[in-house]
Structures are given as C-alpha cells and as structure tokens.
Amino acid sequence: MTLQKTPRKQPPNIERAQAIKKRKHARDKVLQALYQWQLSGEDLDWIRDQYLSEQGVSSGDEAYFLELLYKIPSDVDAIDEQYRPYVDKFEDHMDPIETNILRIATYEFKHHLEIPFKVVINEAINLAKTYGSDESHRFINGVLDPLSREMRTLETSQPDTHSKSRE
C-alpha cells in the first residue's frame, strides 16, 4: 500500500496574507504597465503579453492585474474626472506616476468596495513612496483623503473600530 501525501491546507490567516501580497504585486506591476501605456501609447495586449511573460505578473494576482490593466484605460476619462477636483491647482505639475496611482486608487474606491478605503489610500501612498518623487506620497494622500470621503461616504463616516483608545 502506498501512502499518498495530501497537500496541507494553509491556515486562513496565511492564505489571506499571501493573497494580500499577490494583490500588492499586481498593483505594483499594473502601475508600471499603465505608465508605459500612458507614455508610449502601446497596445494594451502587447503590454499585457510583455508583463505576463517577462515581468513576473504570474507570481502576483494575475486576474487583478488584468482587470486593472484593461478597465482603467477603458474608463480613464471618467476616472480622471473623479479625482480632478482635488488636483486642479496641481494638475500641471502631476507626473505620470502620480496620475496612474490616482487612477488605480479611484478605480478601487469605485469598484472594489471589499477593500477598505484606508487600505486603498495606504497602498497608493506606498506606491508613491516607491515610484514617485520625494513629496508624491503627501500629494497622493492629500487627494485621496477627501476623495475617499466623497466616494465612500458611508464607510468613511463610521467610527474607527480598529484604533486603540489612548486614555
């Protein structure tokens, strides 16, 4: 009789941590892909193929990468209109990295309600710290904070139950 080794199922908290890590990787790669699309105007299918074969997208959340890669450009004007009121005086100074970070976060605010607004903002700030200029993270936070209150009114009006009281 041969004993077969059954794969061990990971505890839920480890699975969740792995899923979060993969989604971060997908955001990172889609930021780079959207930057390339914006500056070069290259075909999205060509960019997709390049990122899937050469940029390690498959080690992340590939489905999420593909969703953002196609959905953001297909709705870019409406997405830009959502955050534009909060950048009017800075619009001439925005670089393509900041623009695409705001597009990703705005898309997530609107279409991924399962992601808490604070997580969307934090992930955008982390992208800005990694890829943006020295002050990009502050600019991104300054835009996304009021935008989150507009787009996630119910969620942002709730008391923060995760913070510890400092009495």
Side-chain angles (χ1 to χ4, degrees):
M1 181 164 135
T2 314
L3 292 176
Q4 288 186 339
K5 203 174 192 178
T6 57
R8 286 181 36 186
K9 186 169 173 151
Q10 296 284 343
N13 57 342
I14 292 176
E15 286 179 359
R16 185 167 184 271
Q18 290 171 339
I20 290 169
K21 185 176 179 182
K22 287 182 176 192
R23 188 157 277 192
K24 284 178 184 276
H25 184 72
R27 276 189 201 95
D28 182 84
K29 293 300 179 184
V30 86
L31 173 61
Q32 295 171 41
L34 290 172
Y35 176 85
Q36 182 176 345
W37 167 75
Q38 182 180 356
L39 292 184
S40 70
E42 290 171 341
D43 179 66
L44 286 175
D45 291 335
W46 185 87
I47 293 171
R48 175 205 61 212
D49 293 345
Q50 178 188 10
Y51 276 79
L52 291 178
S53 66
E54 299 171 19
Q55 298 294 324
V57 168
S58 60
S59 66
D61 186 338
E62 186 175 324
Y64 197 64
F65 169 84
L66 292 172
E67 175 188 347
L68 297 177
L69 179 64
Y70 284 102
K71 299 284 183 161
I72 290 172
S74 72
D75 202 21
V76 74
D77 292 334
I79 291 169
D80 289 352
E81 285 302 313
Q82 286 281 171
Y83 69 77
R84 190 163 282 127
Y86 304 102
V87 299
D88 272 346
K89 53 189 161 192
F90 304 107
E91 201 163 8
D92 293 341
H93 304 291
M94 281 179 49
D95 68 29
I97 290 294
E98 292 166 339
T99 299
N100 285 299
I101 291 170
L102 291 173
R103 288 173 175 166
I104 292 167
T106 303
Y107 180 87
E108 288 181 330
F109 280 152
K110 185 174 183 179
H111 297 286
H112 284 279
L113 301 179
E114 78 281 5
I115 304 173
F117 78 96
K118 288 183 178 183
V119 172
V120 173
I121 293 172
N122 190 53
E123 292 298 321
I125 289 169
N126 287 337
L127 286 171
K129 285 179 178 178
T130 301
Y131 296 102
S133 64
D134 289 342
E135 297 299 315
S136 284
H137 65 283
R138 290 184 182 164
F139 171 72
I140 294 295
N141 187 52
V143 172
L144 294 181
D145 184 54
L147 181 62
S148 70
R149 289 193 295 275
E150 174 191 322
M151 295 184 76
R152 299 272 188 99
T153 307
L154 182 61
E155 184 183 359
T156 57
S157 66
Q158 298 298 313
D160 187 356
T161 58
H162 298 293
S163 295
K164 295 188 175 157
S165 147
R166 294 183 184 180
E167 297 180 7

